[in-house]
Structures are given as structure tokens and as C-alpha cells.
Amino acid sequence: MEPACRKDKPKLNSTPTRGDRARQKSAQQEHKQRQRAEIYALNKVMTELEQQQFESFCKQMQSQGE
Amino acid sequence: MTGPTSPSRTGTSSAKLSRHGRSKSTSAHCLLRCAAREESAASSPNNGARSPGEEEEKDGGVLFYVNRTGFPIEGVTWERMWSHVAVVHPEGQEMADRIRNAAYLPKHHVPSVPTFKPSMSVPDWLVSIQNYMKALQYNHTGTQFFEVKKSRPLSGLMETAREMIRESLPIKCLEAVILGIYLTNGLTSLERFPISFKTQFSGHCFHHVVLGVYCNGRYGSLGMSRRPDLMDKPLAHRTLGELVAEFESSYKRYQHTLKKVKIGLYVPHDPHVFQPIEWKHLVLNAARLGAQEMRKELEKHGRDMRMKVVCVCVCVCSSKKGQGQHEVSRYYRSHPLSSQV
């Protein structure tokens, strides 16, 4: 290839920069933190549900026993 | 442990129900929800080949999901978790949306990983580990966040334990066993071995697993369960039979009948070992053995583990039945036990 052509050929830059990688990592970390917060909020609700169901079943069994 | 806990919901599409295959029995079945799926999930040969929509595992007749794609949890698994809870919870989608759309959610404290100090006694260390697992919480979401394949080499399972610590999310009973092994590695005066239970309640079978521990002539356990008396037990039981009897007594409070007990072998303390954990070195059919025979077999197994029995394969058949069914199956293989009792 002629040197002049090489200069005109557009330079492809598909390699993410260090800054891009850092931003990506930070975004991923935030995403994980949000997921974790939602999981624990959900787990609190589902734990309470399970406890309520267990208690009502125990009462049911108790009243049947009587 | 898990079981069919989900209350019926009006308005739920039949397509959704059949897809999830979820039991909509009443709370009569929800005394305990145990982890049958932990055994079936780990041993199923088709796990890896399933599409995301088919990754349900069975747990006492109730399906549950497993996150197999790491963290952050990818879209399909994430949406599936929310779809499931929207079906299970009486407030349904409203509950799910309330959490998902919340602008602010409290940040759940990341519990500090326990660190062993030479001044700590073994019982204190076990309490510290159990408190850590309790701080992670028992996972009631219906989606298991860490994939545990019981046939994996110990080294691979220890990597999963590190992931559990790194991600700090709720766990279930099988995950707790793996985590318990990881956190007790190196404490060579303490032996660890899995104890699996199969119980029955109202025609349904339930599975559960805890980490048995042995130190200085006493047995105890670490673990996680929906019920507080089916997880950790103090290092106070003089024999393995006593420990298992304690669990059986706890199960009876919930009207569960013990059907089978499987005791594994001591787990090596070297976290880089390539061999898998031995989960069922001794299998006892509690339905066929009397209480005394059970205790006798358990105490013998406890002695054998302590005596480091090598390379004997024994299969004991019941003389009563004459049908070739086994009350007791015992396989002894050489086991590189690392600690002295």
C-alpha cells in the first residue's frame, strides 16, 4: 500500500479505553448493588409471608386438635 | 427446606401455573419448605442443557429456580424471579412493582466475614460462623442465587463459597453447607461432614441438609433452614445418634416423619482437593429401622469415621423384608482424613 493511502485510511478504534472500562465496571457495580438491595427488600417481604402462613397453619392445627 | 407454600391466587393464568408447575396447595403443606431441589438440582444430568425457562428444579413438589449465570443476575433469571414472587405473594405484581420501582431502597448491611483468632474456642468460632450465615439470611425468594453441584470437586465448591461471601446474598441449606465447610477449613481439630434428611409430611417428601461437625468428642451442626431448630446445633451431643435424634425430635414438632438419613464422610480441610464431597457414605432408612437400630448404626458410623476405616465396601440387607431392599447401605472407601480426633 502507498504511504499516502495509509494516511487517508480511517483508523478503527474498537478497543475500549481505560476510562470506558472503569465506567463499565462502575456501572456494573451499581447494578449489582441495586439488585442486592431489591433482593433483600424482597426477601424481607417473602420471609414475613412465610412466617404468617406458618403461624396461621399452626393455629389451624391447634384448633383442629382441640 | 422447602415445600408447597404458595397460597392460591385468583386471576393467575393457567398457562403461567402450568409453566411453573407450582403447587397451589394450602398452607397445610407449608410447615417446612425444604431443599429437595438441592439434591435433585445438583445430581440432575440435564441442568446445563436446559433453557432458562426450564431451569426449575423440584422441591417437595414445588419448583424453584437457580441462578446459573453469575452476577449481576442476567435479565431472564431476574425477570423469572420477579414473575415467580408475583404469583406466590397475595399482593402479587403490586408488591413486586413497589420494590422494583422504589427510588430508594435501604442498603442491606454487608456482614463482616468472621476471622478466626487463636484465642477463640471452637464453639465460639462455630457461633461466629453461624451468626454470619444468619446475617446473610435464609433465601425465601424462590430463586437460588448460587449454583451448587454436589458432584463438583471440593475446590470448585470452595470457589462458590468465596462467591457467596463476595456477593453477600441470602442462601439456602445446601449453600450453607458449602459455606460452612469453607469457613471451617484449616481448623483441623474440627471435622465436618454432611447430614442429609428426607422427611415426609402429608404425602409430600422434603429434603434438607446440614453440616455436621465433630470436635473433641462432641457433635454439633451448622446450617440454614426456615425453622431455627433445623439448622445449627451446639457441639454438645456425645454421639452422632444423639445429634440425629435431636433433628428427628425437631422435625416431629412440625409433624414431619423422618424417612431417610444420609451421613457423608469427613470433608478434607485442603480447599484445593479435586475429589468431590462424599454426601452419602451411610444411608439409613428410618422407616424400616427402629430407633435403637438407627442409633446403633449411627454410632458405629461415627466410630468408623473417627477410626478412619479404609477400603471396605459393605452392603447390609434386611432379613425381614426378603425383597432385597436395604435398610442400611454403608460404603467405606479410603478417605484422606486430615485431622486426629
Side-chain angles (χ1 to χ4, degrees):
Chain A
M1 194 186 257
E2 296 292 334
C5 298
R6 260 188 244 133
K7 280 177 191 172
D8 295 338
K9 192 179 165 91
K11 191 177 176 183
L12 296 168
N13 187 6
S14 58
T15 310
T17 64
R18 197 178 289 176
D20 289 338
R21 281 197 294 271
R23 270 190 291 277
Q24 213 172 25
K25 196 173 175 185
S26 175
Q28 198 186 60
Q29 209 48 39
E30 273 178 40
H31 184 39
K32 276 169 59 169
Q33 282 173 9
R34 173 67 192 193
Q35 283 193 337
R36 189 171 176 272
E38 287 187 25
I39 283 168
Y40 273 103
L42 174 62
N43 206 45
K44 182 171 184 281
V45 167
M46 300 303 285
T47 303
E48 284 164 3
L49 174 67
E50 199 271 344
Q51 194 56 36
Q52 280 164 20
Q53 290 175 339
F54 178 65
E55 282 166 8
S56 71
F57 178 72
C58 287
K59 280 179 191 159
Q60 191 184 337
M61 293 302 290
Q62 213 172 11
S63 59
Q64 278 178 7
E66 285 161 6
Chain B
M1 288 176 301
T2 54
T5 299
S6 318
S8 296
R9 278 193 62 227
T10 55
T12 307
S13 71
S14 57
K16 207 173 186 182
L17 278 172
S18 63
R19 182 176 182 274
H20 288 289
R22 199 158 295 285
S23 166
K24 292 296 177 188
S25 55
T26 67
S27 58
H29 295 284
C30 74
L31 274 185
L32 295 167
R33 294 194 65 184
C34 75
R37 86 303 182 257
E38 276 141 350
E39 282 191 353
S40 57
S43 57
S44 167
N46 296 324
N47 279 354
R50 289 185 188 178
S51 65
E54 296 174 43
E55 282 175 7
E56 304 104 355
E57 301 296 345
K58 279 194 178 173
D59 175 1
V62 179
L63 295 175
F64 66 94
Y65 301 107
V66 180
N67 170 38
R68 301 181 201 276
T69 54
F71 302 92
I73 298 170
E74 50 84 36
V76 171
T77 309
W78 188 246
E79 293 305 320
R80 195 176 57 191
M81 179 184 80
W82 286 108
S83 299
H84 161 66
V85 296
V87 167
V88 165
H89 198 275
E91 290 175 47
Q93 196 60 47
E94 206 183 295
M95 176 280 295
D97 290 344
R98 206 164 41 236
I99 295 172
R100 296 187 78 176
N101 298 333
Y104 168 77
L105 286 170
K107 187 182 173 187
H108 186 83
H109 166 69
V110 175
S112 307
V113 184
T115 44
F116 183 73
K117 298 174 189 65
S119 56
M120 273 176 136
S121 67
V122 170
D124 286 345
W125 177 232
L126 294 178
V127 165
S128 170
I129 291 170
Q130 188 63 51
N131 285 342
Y132 174 72
M133 293 202 280
K134 283 178 182 172
L136 292 177
Q137 294 181 9
Y138 187 86
N139 182 356
H140 283 93
T141 65
T143 296
Q144 183 176 313
F145 299 117
F146 305 97
E147 185 179 17
V148 176
K149 289 186 178 174
K150 289 163 86 177
S151 55
R152 271 186 86 187
L154 183 64
S155 51
L157 292 174
M158 294 301 95
E159 185 47 52
T160 303
R162 280 190 283 274
E163 191 178 42
M164 288 181 214
I165 292 169
R166 210 163 44 237
E167 300 300 329
S168 189
L169 289 171
I171 56 175
K172 300 181 84 168
C173 58
L174 183 59
E175 293 151 293
V177 167
I178 303 306
L179 187 55
I181 291 169
Y182 179 79
L183 290 171
T184 51
N185 273 344
L187 190 62
T188 51
S189 61
L190 180 80
E191 295 292 358
R192 307 83 41 89
F193 56 96
I195 308 175
S196 307
F197 303 96
K198 180 181 174 183
T199 59
Q200 190 175 38
F201 171 75
S202 193
H204 294 270
C205 279
F206 297 82
H207 293 249
H208 183 43
V209 64
V210 298
L211 184 66
V213 290
Y214 174 79
C215 179
N216 201 25
R218 295 287 185 271
Y219 289 90
S221 67
L222 292 172
M224 287 294 277
S225 169
R226 280 178 170 76
R227 303 278 82 86
D229 51 352
L230 289 169
M231 35 197 267
D232 57 309
K233 301 283 184 191
L235 261 178
H237 303 84
R238 290 170 185 273
T239 66
L240 184 52
E242 225 179 82
L243 177 65
V244 170
E246 173 67 24
F247 273 99
E248 188 172 12
S249 166
S250 298
Y251 271 114
K252 278 184 180 153
R253 282 186 213 121
Y254 307 111
Q255 299 176 34
H256 274 233
T257 310
L258 190 63
K259 304 303 271 184
K260 265 189 189 170
V261 178
K262 296 177 191 176
I263 314 286
L265 281 180
Y266 288 163
V267 180
H269 280 266
D270 182 356
H272 305 296
V273 157
F274 201 71
Q275 71 190 73
I277 292 170
E278 178 56 66
W279 295 91
K280 42 184 181 178
H281 194 86
L282 173 69
V283 179
L284 297 176
N285 191 326
R288 296 199 178 101
L289 287 172
Q292 224 172 358
E293 272 182 86
M294 274 262 294
R295 277 231 184 188
K296 196 175 134 192
E297 292 298 333
L298 286 164
E299 272 148 38
K300 184 177 189 316
H301 183 70
R303 282 195 305 273
D304 290 343
M305 284 202 290
R306 296 196 301 274
M307 295 298 290
K308 304 178 189 179
V309 174
V310 180
C311 279
V312 175
C313 184
V314 175
C315 190
V316 176
C317 296
S318 165
S319 56
K320 278 191 275 185
K321 294 180 300 299
Q323 291 169 3
Q325 290 174 12
H326 300 164
E327 285 174 336
V328 174
S329 298
R330 192 182 299 119
Y331 304 91
Y332 294 97
R333 288 183 229 127
S334 58
H335 177 69
L337 298 175
S338 58
S339 65
Q340 295 292 329
V341 170

